[in-house]
Amino acid sequence: MAEFGYTLMCEQTPAPQLVEFAARAERAGFDYAVISDHYFPWLEEMGHSPYAWSVLGAVAQATERLPLMTYVTCPIMRYHPAVVAQKAATMGVLSGGRFTLGLGAGENLNEHVIGAGWPSADTRHRMFREALQIIRELFGGGYVTFQGEFYDVDSAKLYDLPDEPVPIAVAASGPSSARLAAEFGDILVINEPMPDVVRRFHDGGGAGKPVYGQLAISYDTDAEAAVERAHRLWRWSVGGWKVMAELPGPVNFEAASETVRPEDVAENVPCGSDVDAVVEAARAYVEAGYTHVALVQIGADQQEPFFTWAEKELLPALRRL
């Protein structure tokens, strides 16, 4: 049976509320929680972008059973992979073994801030491979020295490790990244239902490993208000991953989504209070081989109504899948 998670969306929520929402998601019965790791929001109107790792430390103390996961962290520019390994190991300890390190090759939106330019996709994947190798070796507990094309590590060792190694989830969007995920990952992450990528992951060595996806929804008892909010805050997503990875700032996402209509967003985002519509959207993931689906409720001010609805109606219906 698939598990259903809750997304802590840093781009739309202040840090204190994210901690509150995590505790509320646990009480509502969600199976796990994931958190985005951004330097910028997608759109200026979203208005927030607290440091995900600080929030995670607080969430680990505010929750008791809820598994936690970065969705996802980029270890190739803003963070050196050796530092990511240390942060993840500490989270594994603080959470009592409830943490999974989700990793991806990143977006220009968040990584350009260090002023090093934005590499081509091929270069980013080579960087990502090295980063995964470094992190995996450091999780082993010994001293690590590494000299690569992009990164050097000089006799690094993690002194605070959880009892069991932190699982590594790897984001993929195509054949090459699926192979990389199968080689280095304990878990595959793909936002949208992509059965071909799941199949490549399984064939490449990932058979039997979990597959995580994410589904955005806009719950509201007023369907028109739900569509308006989804369009206002989520229209950036319509351009697809190749666009999302390359644009450098919220103003660019504003410009790129100028012609997106409300109905364009509503085609991919269930809007309103129809439980069956969300269940059918989730079914596409389950039938594509996904074992976990994290829900995103659009709009920071609409989380409490969403939790109430999810607890009473949505989660029971999803679990009948």
Side-chain angles (χ1 to χ4, degrees):
M1 185 172 67
E3 295 188 10
F4 295 93
Y6 172 75
T7 301
L8 298 161
M9 198 73 181
C10 285
E11 300 92 300
Q12 66 177 13
T13 314
Q17 284 182 263
L18 287 167
V19 179
E20 294 173 6
F21 292 163
R24 183 67 179 89
E26 183 174 68
R27 295 195 303 272
F30 281 93
D31 297 312
Y32 64 99
V34 303
I35 187 168
S36 59
D37 182 2
H38 269 229
Y39 200 93
F40 281 98
W42 296 103
L43 301 171
E44 288 287 349
E45 189 172 354
M46 297 178 85
H48 297 279
S49 196
Y51 185 52
W53 290 90
S54 298
V55 174
L56 274 169
V59 167
Q61 304 309 301
T63 57
E64 296 179 359
R65 64 153 186 89
L66 201 67
L68 307 171
M69 176 180 175
T70 48
Y71 202 93
V72 293
T73 283
C74 175
I76 68 171
M77 296 187 71
R78 258 189 309 157
Y79 312 134
H80 190 283
V83 176
V84 172
Q86 184 188 34
K87 294 191 290 188
T90 300
M91 269 304 304
V93 173
L94 282 173
S95 66
R98 291 184 284 134
F99 179 67
T100 294
L101 176 62
L103 297 170
E107 303 105 7
N108 192 9
L109 177 69
N110 304 300
E111 307 308 316
H112 79 270
V113 296
I114 64 169
W118 184 233
S120 68
D122 178 67
T123 300
R124 297 198 303 269
H125 286 148
R126 299 204 316 275
M127 296 171 74
F128 192 34
R129 171 178 285 277
E130 283 192 17
L132 287 166
Q133 184 177 346
I134 291 166
I135 292 167
R136 178 66 79 184
E137 289 187 23
L138 283 167
F139 281 176
Y143 282 96
V144 174
T145 295
F146 183 92
Q147 291 183 320
E149 181 183 0
F150 302 101
Y151 305 109
D152 291 334
V153 178
D154 182 10
S155 192
K157 179 181 177 179
L158 300 178
Y159 280 83
D160 291 271
L161 288 163
D163 293 336
E164 297 294 330
V166 172
I168 295 175
V170 178
S173 58
S176 61
S177 52
R179 288 192 295 270
L180 193 65
E183 181 178 355
F184 288 100
D186 304 299
I187 295 164
L188 173 66
V189 173
I190 328 174
N191 274 356
E192 302 171 7
M194 293 184 177
D196 289 344
V197 178
V198 174
R199 189 159 39 251
R200 287 180 182 273
F201 173 71
H202 288 162
D203 292 345
K209 295 180 180 180
V211 179
Y212 280 59
Q214 190 176 56
L215 172 62
I217 71 173
S218 183
Y219 167 75
D220 201 303
T221 54
D222 182 338
E224 290 186 6
V227 171
E228 184 279 329
R229 186 171 62 253
H231 176 254
R232 177 164 45 86
L233 298 175
W234 215 256
R235 64 185 183 276
W236 53 269
S237 66
V238 173
W241 179 249
K242 288 187 177 180
V243 173
M244 290 161 56
E246 302 298 334
L247 297 181
V251 65
N252 305 101
F253 280 92
E254 295 277 0
S257 61
E258 276 184 354
T259 60
V260 175
R261 303 167 301 171
E263 55 266 36
D264 298 328
V265 180
E267 282 182 8
N268 299 311
V269 176
C271 295
S273 58
D274 184 354
V275 169
D276 290 340
V278 180
V279 169
E280 287 309 304
R283 188 186 305 278
Y285 290 81
V286 174
E287 292 180 349
Y290 290 62
T291 58
H292 295 69
V293 182
L295 303 180
V296 184
Q297 165 63 11
I298 299 170
D301 60 345
Q302 294 297 315
Q303 300 303 306
E304 185 52 44
F306 166 73
F307 284 129
T308 301
W309 178 65
E311 184 175 6
K312 293 180 179 179
E313 299 183 48
L314 180 60
L315 287 174
L318 286 170
R319 291 190 174 117
R320 288 194 288 271
L321 270 174

